Amino acid sequence: MSSSAPPLALRGRLPGLDALRALAVLLVLGYHLFPGLIPGGFVGVDVFFVVSGYLITALLLHERRRTGRIALRAFWARRARRLLPALALVVMSTATLASLIGGDVLVGMGWQLLGAATFTSNWVAISAGSSYLDQTSPELFRHLWSLSVEEQFYLLWPIVVIALLALPLRRWMLVALPLAIAAWSALAMAAAAGDPALDGGAAASAAYLSTLTHGFGLLAGAALALGRDPLTQPRALLGRASTPVGVAAVAGVVAVALSTSIDDPSAYRGGMALAVALTVVAILALERRESLAARAAESSPLVWVGERSYGLYLWHWPLWVLGLALVPGLDRTGSGAWGLGAAVLALSVLLAALSYRFVELPIRRRELLAPARAAGGKREGAAVATVAVALALLVAGTGAALQRSPATSEAADLITAGQLAVDTAEQPRGAGTSPSPSPDSVPATAPRPSTEPEPEPEPELEPEPEPAPEDTPAPLPTGDQIIAFGDSVMLAAAPALIDEFPGIAVDATVGRQMWSMPEVIEEAAAAGALRDVVIIGVGANGLISQSDLDRVIGAVGDRKLVVVTASAPRGWIDESNTRLHETARAHRTVEVADWDATISGRLDLLAGDQVHPGPTGSALYSGEIREALQRLADLPPLPPPPDPNRYDENPNWQRPV
């Protein structure tokens, strides 16, 4: 450490942390705003966690060493001044804008505001069944889960530190405790997450959002600070190796972000933990201030972004969700999404800079109205009045958002309507119809049937049927010959299916996946309900594996099968649909209804989640199935099996002796 450098405690910051914050927020922004650019950019949150745990613990140790105690109330007050003003500004501003847009963007507003106000967004989201993996209908304040995890850590960890420092423990023991808990947390995430492709990500989402299973980054950073006590300026552990090791660690974090995805089991089984470990190494590498890596990390652009990373994180997500609500037909996986992302990024940078300059810094320094006071009387009063009016408008707008929040989303309404259509269609036929008239009920004016035997008509020769033209389509199966199994997408389209194929049996449930279909089909067969033509439409909730498809074909047997491709902005869709097409090409009685290709250019016909079809989209869904059924019906009959008694059909035939 250079002797001319001011003491770290006086400078109020540790070397390189702003650069790591900049890295973290850039990964998150790339992940959210530019779909497909950084598929694992969510590990930026884990980088944030390590930096937060490290910095907070370093400050607690410094206060204990400087004053002999840790003042909890003062610590929590500093945290509140640091976090609450910007949070309140973002929540109230974007909620007010959402109230003007209306619709799905307001769904769940009540529990979201509750979570934001109490720093329990992660637990409230888990209890509400909200899935972090579901990118189709995101909540306005979904990103506040990570802030809640940090705040819960800030509330409890200082108490733990006070207790640890009161015990006669060696330094390695102080480090071992948070490291052991961190290891348990990472292992618990790996065990609890399961395979997102199998259960639609419900377990993985809960493991991702939970403080218990996603707290290992905070604890790893805390353990590093307990071991190094960085504000005492310890000798750099890595020495001259700091630069290559630091560069390798940062590159490793980026590599993890580029090579994983939120629905990849490896992300939960070590991927995020690896990003945490690499961040710890990067912090160690940045301890040597005279190294090239440390000097680069202290460059002005990185420091500028790092200082405003909190505001960037707060603003970007609700602005993105509001943008999607304003452009409901936008393809969230194409160039249009990148254009929106660029606009949201620019606006986020602007608002974060303004918030940092005029809200965050002044409140942290307790100088919010200092410029107005310096200007004197009237200007100070005008400034106070302006702030009061703006605050009142934001409070009113937030209240309007809460009051206008719909109970369910558009997709949920479509699913409910589909379930009602299925339930109605399953009612016994003939209910409410008049019975056939009996002979006694024939009107008196009607002629009475004669008791005389009528002469038998002479038989007429039926004309021979004319051969049908070759281009005449074969007749389609009727609805009572078809059974359809599917997920919530098919359920939303059920009214159109029932209209298209009267008498069709629709068995669709929310969340169904291909792995469950063989058992469902076998149960229908055992109950005598399986029909000659089977339609299967799943895939929006998880990956379709080849083994599951093979089992489905075995369960269907010699019946005709139509598989419907899935359409949703989710990572496994292309792989699943490719597998459906390849399987259909390998089986003569299997046909594909390419819903994905049909709807890809008509996303405006879907609900706001870009998954479930509305009435017009449902008509396209059923029409694609009709075309697939027509292709199956038009298949020429198979030639008869070769006659073993004919030499020209059986080359191995031998004349009997």
Side-chain angles (χ1 to χ4, degrees), residues 20-35:
L20 290 176
R21 287 195 189 98
L23 170 66
V25 78
L26 290 175
L27 290 176
V28 173
L29 292 174
Y31 170 60
H32 284 153
L33 303 184
F34 302 97

Side-chain angles (χ1 to χ4, degrees), residues 184-194 207-209 213-214 216 267-269 272:
W184 173 88
S185 176
L187 291 172
M189 170 181 276
Y208 186 83
L209 297 174
T213 50
H214 206 157
F216 49 86
Y268 307 89
R269 300 170 186 170
M272 285 177 263

Side-chain angles (χ1 to χ4, degrees), residues 174-187:
L174 292 176
V175 175
L177 177 64
L179 272 185
I181 301 175
W184 173 88
S185 176
L187 291 172

Side-chain angles (χ1 to χ4, degrees), residues 18-209:
D18 281 323
L20 290 176
R21 287 195 189 98
L23 170 66
V25 78
L26 290 175
L27 290 176
V28 173
L29 292 174
Y31 170 60
H32 284 153
L33 303 184
F34 302 97
L37 177 64
I38 311 176
F42 54 87
V43 300
V45 172
D46 296 281
V47 177
F48 270 127
F49 282 172
V50 177
V51 171
S52 296
Y54 177 72
L55 178 59
I56 290 303
T57 306
L59 293 174
L60 291 171
L61 293 174
H62 177 67
E63 181 181 357
R64 172 67 154 58
R65 185 175 56 255
R66 183 171 55 85
T67 66
R69 59 188 293 269
I70 295 175
L72 288 177
R73 292 179 63 182
F75 169 81
W76 289 328
R78 289 193 300 271
R79 290 293 89 201
R81 287 198 303 273
R82 172 72 178 89
L83 300 175
L84 289 180
L87 175 64
L89 176 63
V90 170
V91 169
M92 290 193 295
S93 299
T94 53
T96 299
L97 291 174
S99 71
L100 300 176
I101 297 173
D104 283 0
V105 76
L106 293 173
V107 173
M109 184 58 63
W111 65 260
Q112 290 186 72
L113 291 175
L114 174 65
T118 60
F119 292 107
T120 57
S121 292
N122 61 326
W123 297 115
V124 174
I126 291 172
S127 64
S130 174
S131 173
Y132 185 83
L133 279 68
D134 182 6
Q135 303 298 319
T136 57
S137 186
E139 300 86 8
L140 191 63
F141 303 125
R142 171 181 290 181
H143 66 319
L144 297 186
W145 75 270
S146 63
L147 187 61
S148 296
V149 171
E150 288 196 9
E151 278 298 305
Q152 292 157 31
F153 176 79
Y154 297 157
L155 180 65
L156 298 175
W157 181 243
I159 301 173
V160 176
V161 170
I162 291 173
L164 289 176
L165 296 179
L167 298 173
L169 300 176
R170 294 182 180 273
R171 185 177 293 272
W172 71 266
M173 296 178 181
L174 292 176
V175 175
L177 177 64
L179 272 185
I181 301 175
W184 173 88
S185 176
L187 291 172
M189 170 181 276
D195 188 343
L198 295 181
D199 65 355
S205 179
Y208 186 83
L209 297 174

